[in-house]
Amino acid sequence: MDMDSPLEATCSEYNVRTVSGRAACEEECKHAVCCDAPAGFNCWADNHFWCAEVTAVCEILDSVPLDDSVHAGSVPFAPSNLSTLCSTESLATVDGTEACENVCSRGACCLAKEDENCSSKNENA
Protein backbone atom coordinates (compact mmCIF):
# COMPACT_ATOMS: atom_id res chain seq x y z
CA MET A 1 0.00 0.00 0.00
CA ASP A 2 1.20 3.52 -0.74
CA MET A 3 2.99 4.97 2.31
CA ASP A 4 0.83 8.08 2.00
CA SER A 5 -2.47 6.21 1.88
CA PRO A 6 -5.41 7.46 3.93
CA LEU A 7 -5.74 4.01 5.52
CA GLU A 8 -2.15 4.10 6.73
CA ALA A 9 -2.73 7.54 8.22
CA THR A 10 -5.92 6.40 9.93
CA CYS A 11 -4.23 3.25 11.20
CA SER A 12 -0.94 4.84 12.23
CA GLU A 13 0.63 3.56 15.44
CA TYR A 14 -0.19 6.81 17.22
CA ASN A 15 -3.85 6.70 16.16
CA VAL A 16 -4.53 3.12 17.16
CA ARG A 17 -3.21 3.88 20.65
CA THR A 18 -6.09 6.35 21.16
CA VAL A 19 -9.73 5.41 21.62
CA SER A 20 -11.00 7.54 18.73
CA GLY A 21 -8.08 6.62 16.47
CA ARG A 22 -8.51 2.91 17.08
CA ALA A 23 -12.25 3.22 16.39
CA ALA A 24 -11.54 5.02 13.10
CA CYS A 25 -9.04 2.34 12.05
CA GLU A 26 -11.44 -0.45 13.01
CA GLU A 27 -14.18 1.25 10.99
CA GLU A 28 -11.97 1.35 7.89
CA CYS A 29 -10.63 -2.17 8.40
CA LYS A 30 -14.07 -3.73 8.69
CA HIS A 31 -14.35 -3.33 4.90
CA ALA A 32 -11.73 -6.07 4.58
CA VAL A 33 -13.61 -8.62 6.68
CA CYS A 34 -14.51 -10.52 3.51
CA CYS A 35 -10.82 -11.21 2.90
CA ASP A 36 -10.77 -13.68 5.81
CA ALA A 37 -14.38 -14.82 5.59
CA PRO A 38 -15.36 -18.47 5.14
CA ALA A 39 -15.84 -19.92 1.67
CA GLY A 40 -18.86 -18.50 -0.10
CA PHE A 41 -18.34 -15.11 1.55
CA ASN A 42 -14.61 -14.78 0.95
CA CYS A 43 -13.49 -12.06 -1.48
CA TRP A 44 -9.75 -12.82 -1.49
CA ALA A 45 -9.73 -14.50 -4.91
CA ASP A 46 -11.44 -11.57 -6.63
CA ASN A 47 -9.55 -8.87 -4.69
CA HIS A 48 -6.20 -10.49 -3.90
CA PHE A 49 -4.03 -7.36 -4.19
CA TRP A 50 -6.47 -5.10 -2.33
CA CYS A 51 -6.95 -7.67 0.44
CA ALA A 52 -3.20 -8.16 0.82
CA GLU A 53 -2.60 -4.41 1.14
CA VAL A 54 -5.48 -3.67 3.48
CA THR A 55 -4.97 -6.63 5.78
CA ALA A 56 -1.25 -5.79 6.06
CA VAL A 57 -2.12 -2.28 7.31
CA CYS A 58 -4.96 -3.46 9.55
CA GLU A 59 -2.74 -6.01 11.33
CA ILE A 60 -1.58 -3.09 13.49
CA LEU A 61 -4.82 -3.45 15.46
CA ASP A 62 -3.55 -6.81 16.69
CA SER A 63 -0.05 -5.67 17.55
CA VAL A 64 -0.39 -2.17 19.04
CA PRO A 65 -2.31 -1.81 22.31
CA LEU A 66 -4.55 1.05 23.33
CA ASP A 67 -2.49 3.53 25.35
CA ASP A 68 -4.34 5.30 28.16
CA SER A 69 -1.53 7.83 28.51
CA VAL A 70 -2.29 9.38 25.11
CA HIS A 71 -4.63 12.27 25.82
CA ALA A 72 -5.86 15.55 24.38
CA GLY A 73 -3.13 17.68 25.97
CA SER A 74 -0.33 15.77 24.28
CA VAL A 75 0.23 16.62 20.63
CA PRO A 76 2.53 14.37 18.58
CA PHE A 77 4.85 15.67 15.90
CA ALA A 78 3.28 15.89 12.46
CA PRO A 79 3.98 12.87 10.26
CA SER A 80 6.68 13.28 7.63
CA ASN A 81 4.10 12.84 4.86
CA LEU A 82 1.77 15.63 6.09
CA SER A 83 2.25 17.71 2.95
CA THR A 84 1.16 14.74 0.84
CA LEU A 85 -1.75 13.80 3.11
CA CYS A 86 -3.07 17.36 3.05
CA SER A 87 -2.15 18.24 -0.53
CA THR A 88 -4.67 19.77 -2.92
CA GLU A 89 -4.90 16.43 -4.72
CA SER A 90 -5.55 14.52 -1.51
CA LEU A 91 -8.14 17.04 -0.29
CA ALA A 92 -10.04 16.59 -3.55
CA THR A 93 -11.12 13.13 -2.36
CA VAL A 94 -13.26 12.09 0.59
CA ASP A 95 -10.65 9.59 1.82
CA GLY A 96 -7.87 12.15 1.45
CA THR A 97 -9.82 14.81 3.33
CA GLU A 98 -10.59 12.36 6.14
CA ALA A 99 -6.92 11.34 6.40
CA CYS A 100 -5.79 14.98 6.56
CA GLU A 101 -8.43 15.85 9.14
CA ASN A 102 -7.53 12.80 11.20
CA VAL A 103 -3.85 13.74 11.34
CA CYS A 104 -4.48 17.45 11.94
CA SER A 105 -7.17 16.92 14.56
CA ARG A 106 -4.46 15.80 16.97
CA GLY A 107 -3.35 19.42 17.26
CA ALA A 108 -6.80 20.96 17.57
CA CYS A 109 -6.21 21.82 21.22
CA CYS A 110 -3.48 24.24 20.09
CA LEU A 111 -6.20 26.40 18.56
CA ALA A 112 -8.64 26.09 21.45
CA LYS A 113 -9.61 29.02 23.62
CA GLU A 114 -8.08 29.78 27.02
CA ASP A 115 -8.12 26.87 29.50
CA GLU A 116 -8.40 24.20 26.83
CA ASN A 117 -5.46 25.54 24.80
CA CYS A 118 -2.45 23.22 24.88
CA SER A 119 -0.05 25.16 22.66
CA SER A 120 2.26 26.17 25.52
CA LYS A 121 2.70 22.48 26.45
CA ASN A 122 3.41 21.50 22.86
CA GLU A 123 5.64 24.26 21.50
CA ASN A 124 7.96 21.82 19.72
CA ALA A 125 5.17 19.86 18.04
PDB file of all heavy atoms in Angstrom, residues 1 12 20 36 41-42 47 66 82 88 95 100-101 118:
ATOM      1  N   MET A   1       0.849  -1.172   0.000  1.00  0.00           N
ATOM      2  CA  MET A   1       0.000   0.000   0.000  1.00  0.00           C
ATOM      3  C   MET A   1       0.892   1.231   0.000  1.00  0.00           C
ATOM      4  O   MET A   1       1.940   1.259   0.623  1.00  0.00           O
ATOM      5  CB  MET A   1      -0.913  -0.007   1.219  1.00  0.00           C
ATOM      6  CG  MET A   1      -1.881   1.145   1.239  1.00  0.00           C
ATOM      7  SD  MET A   1      -3.328   0.853   2.285  1.00  0.00           S
ATOM      8  CE  MET A   1      -4.307  -0.144   1.190  1.00  0.00           C
ATOM      9  N   SER A  12      -2.313   4.626  11.768  1.00  0.00           N
ATOM     10  CA  SER A  12      -0.937   4.839  12.230  1.00  0.00           C
ATOM     11  C   SER A  12      -0.812   4.338  13.665  1.00  0.00           C
ATOM     12  O   SER A  12      -1.803   4.212  14.394  1.00  0.00           O
ATOM     13  CB  SER A  12      -0.581   6.324  12.175  1.00  0.00           C
ATOM     14  OG  SER A  12      -1.310   7.040  13.162  1.00  0.00           O
ATOM     15  N   SER A  20     -10.354   7.099  19.966  1.00  0.00           N
ATOM     16  CA  SER A  20     -10.996   7.544  18.725  1.00  0.00           C
ATOM     17  C   SER A  20     -10.218   7.080  17.498  1.00  0.00           C
ATOM     18  O   SER A  20     -10.810   6.719  16.483  1.00  0.00           O
ATOM     19  CB  SER A  20     -11.164   9.065  18.711  1.00  0.00           C
ATOM     20  OG  SER A  20      -9.901   9.698  18.776  1.00  0.00           O
ATOM     21  N   ASP A  36     -11.000 -12.530   4.933  1.00  0.00           N
ATOM     22  CA  ASP A  36     -10.765 -13.681   5.808  1.00  0.00           C
ATOM     23  C   ASP A  36     -12.039 -14.475   6.085  1.00  0.00           C
ATOM     24  O   ASP A  36     -12.051 -15.345   6.939  1.00  0.00           O
ATOM     25  CB  ASP A  36     -10.179 -13.206   7.149  1.00  0.00           C
ATOM     26  CG  ASP A  36      -8.805 -12.598   6.974  1.00  0.00           C
ATOM     27  OD1 ASP A  36      -8.025 -13.108   6.156  1.00  0.00           O
ATOM     28  OD2 ASP A  36      -8.519 -11.590   7.649  1.00  0.00           O
ATOM     29  N   PHE A  41     -18.294 -16.528   1.181  1.00  0.00           N
ATOM     30  CA  PHE A  41     -18.338 -15.112   1.554  1.00  0.00           C
ATOM     31  C   PHE A  41     -16.975 -14.446   1.361  1.00  0.00           C
ATOM     32  O   PHE A  41     -16.829 -13.252   1.540  1.00  0.00           O
ATOM     33  CB  PHE A  41     -18.771 -14.949   3.018  1.00  0.00           C
ATOM     34  CG  PHE A  41     -20.124 -15.510   3.299  1.00  0.00           C
ATOM     35  CD1 PHE A  41     -20.259 -16.739   3.925  1.00  0.00           C
ATOM     36  CD2 PHE A  41     -21.271 -14.818   2.923  1.00  0.00           C
ATOM     37  CE1 PHE A  41     -21.507 -17.267   4.186  1.00  0.00           C
ATOM     38  CE2 PHE A  41     -22.519 -15.337   3.185  1.00  0.00           C
ATOM     39  CZ  PHE A  41     -22.646 -16.563   3.809  1.00  0.00           C
ATOM     40  N   ASN A  42     -15.980 -15.256   1.051  1.00  0.00           N
ATOM     41  CA  ASN A  42     -14.613 -14.775   0.948  1.00  0.00           C
ATOM     42  C   ASN A  42     -14.381 -14.039  -0.373  1.00  0.00           C
ATOM     43  O   ASN A  42     -14.777 -14.503  -1.428  1.00  0.00           O
ATOM     44  CB  ASN A  42     -13.647 -15.957   1.066  1.00  0.00           C
ATOM     45  CG  ASN A  42     -12.234 -15.506   1.273  1.00  0.00           C
ATOM     46  OD1 ASN A  42     -11.658 -14.876   0.401  1.00  0.00           O
ATOM     47  ND2 ASN A  42     -11.677 -15.831   2.419  1.00  0.00           N
ATOM     48  N   ASN A  47     -10.191 -10.125  -5.123  1.00  0.00           N
ATOM     49  CA  ASN A  47      -9.555  -8.870  -4.688  1.00  0.00           C
ATOM     50  C   ASN A  47      -8.221  -9.126  -4.000  1.00  0.00           C
ATOM     51  O   ASN A  47      -7.894  -8.485  -3.005  1.00  0.00           O
ATOM     52  CB  ASN A  47     -10.479  -8.130  -3.706  1.00  0.00           C
ATOM     53  CG  ASN A  47     -11.810  -7.815  -4.307  1.00  0.00           C
ATOM     54  OD1 ASN A  47     -11.907  -7.013  -5.212  1.00  0.00           O
ATOM     55  ND2 ASN A  47     -12.849  -8.464  -3.801  1.00  0.00           N
ATOM     56  N   LEU A  66      -3.988  -0.245  22.983  1.00  0.00           N
ATOM     57  CA  LEU A  66      -4.549   1.054  23.328  1.00  0.00           C
ATOM     58  C   LEU A  66      -3.697   1.632  24.452  1.00  0.00           C
ATOM     59  O   LEU A  66      -3.318   0.932  25.373  1.00  0.00           O
ATOM     60  CB  LEU A  66      -6.000   0.870  23.786  1.00  0.00           C
ATOM     61  CG  LEU A  66      -6.823   2.117  24.025  1.00  0.00           C
ATOM     62  CD1 LEU A  66      -6.982   2.895  22.728  1.00  0.00           C
ATOM     63  CD2 LEU A  66      -8.194   1.729  24.550  1.00  0.00           C
ATOM     64  N   LEU A  82       2.897  14.721   5.912  1.00  0.00           N
ATOM     65  CA  LEU A  82       1.772  15.630   6.094  1.00  0.00           C
ATOM     66  C   LEU A  82       1.474  16.436   4.833  1.00  0.00           C
ATOM     67  O   LEU A  82       0.309  16.598   4.466  1.00  0.00           O
ATOM     68  CB  LEU A  82       2.024  16.580   7.266  1.00  0.00           C
ATOM     69  CG  LEU A  82       0.892  17.557   7.578  1.00  0.00           C
ATOM     70  CD1 LEU A  82      -0.346  16.795   8.039  1.00  0.00           C
ATOM     71  CD2 LEU A  82       1.326  18.557   8.631  1.00  0.00           C
ATOM     72  N   THR A  88      -3.463  19.429  -2.163  1.00  0.00           N
ATOM     73  CA  THR A  88      -4.669  19.772  -2.923  1.00  0.00           C
ATOM     74  C   THR A  88      -5.277  18.527  -3.552  1.00  0.00           C
ATOM     75  O   THR A  88      -6.490  18.335  -3.526  1.00  0.00           O
ATOM     76  CB  THR A  88      -4.336  20.819  -4.009  1.00  0.00           C
ATOM     77  OG1 THR A  88      -3.745  21.950  -3.370  1.00  0.00           O
ATOM     78  CG2 THR A  88      -5.572  21.230  -4.770  1.00  0.00           C
ATOM     79  N   ASP A  95     -11.628  10.316   1.013  1.00  0.00           N
ATOM     80  CA  ASP A  95     -10.646   9.592   1.825  1.00  0.00           C
ATOM     81  C   ASP A  95      -9.461  10.475   2.180  1.00  0.00           C
ATOM     82  O   ASP A  95      -8.966  10.449   3.307  1.00  0.00           O
ATOM     83  CB  ASP A  95     -10.148   8.338   1.089  1.00  0.00           C
ATOM     84  CG  ASP A  95     -11.184   7.238   1.036  1.00  0.00           C
ATOM     85  OD1 ASP A  95     -12.151   7.290   1.825  1.00  0.00           O
ATOM     86  OD2 ASP A  95     -11.019   6.317   0.218  1.00  0.00           O
ATOM     87  N   CYS A 100      -6.381  13.698   6.162  1.00  0.00           N
ATOM     88  CA  CYS A 100      -5.791  14.976   6.560  1.00  0.00           C
ATOM     89  C   CYS A 100      -6.430  15.464   7.861  1.00  0.00           C
ATOM     90  O   CYS A 100      -5.726  15.858   8.802  1.00  0.00           O
ATOM     91  CB  CYS A 100      -5.960  16.008   5.454  1.00  0.00           C
ATOM     92  SG  CYS A 100      -5.281  17.628   5.861  1.00  0.00           S
ATOM     93  N   GLU A 101      -7.735  15.421   7.927  1.00  0.00           N
ATOM     94  CA  GLU A 101      -8.430  15.855   9.143  1.00  0.00           C
ATOM     95  C   GLU A 101      -8.039  15.003  10.345  1.00  0.00           C
ATOM     96  O   GLU A 101      -7.859  15.507  11.449  1.00  0.00           O
ATOM     97  CB  GLU A 101      -9.943  15.807   8.941  1.00  0.00           C
ATOM     98  CG  GLU A 101     -10.457  16.898   8.027  1.00  0.00           C
ATOM     99  CD  GLU A 101     -11.943  16.764   7.720  1.00  0.00           C
ATOM    100  OE1 GLU A 101     -12.552  15.716   8.051  1.00  0.00           O
ATOM    101  OE2 GLU A 101     -12.502  17.708   7.147  1.00  0.00           O
ATOM    102  N   CYS A 118      -3.612  24.012  24.476  1.00  0.00           N
ATOM    103  CA  CYS A 118      -2.451  23.218  24.877  1.00  0.00           C
ATOM    104  C   CYS A 118      -1.170  23.651  24.169  1.00  0.00           C
ATOM    105  O   CYS A 118      -0.165  22.969  24.251  1.00  0.00           O
ATOM    106  CB  CYS A 118      -2.720  21.747  24.604  1.00  0.00           C
ATOM    107  SG  CYS A 118      -2.876  21.370  22.840  1.00  0.00           S
TER     108      CYS A 118
END
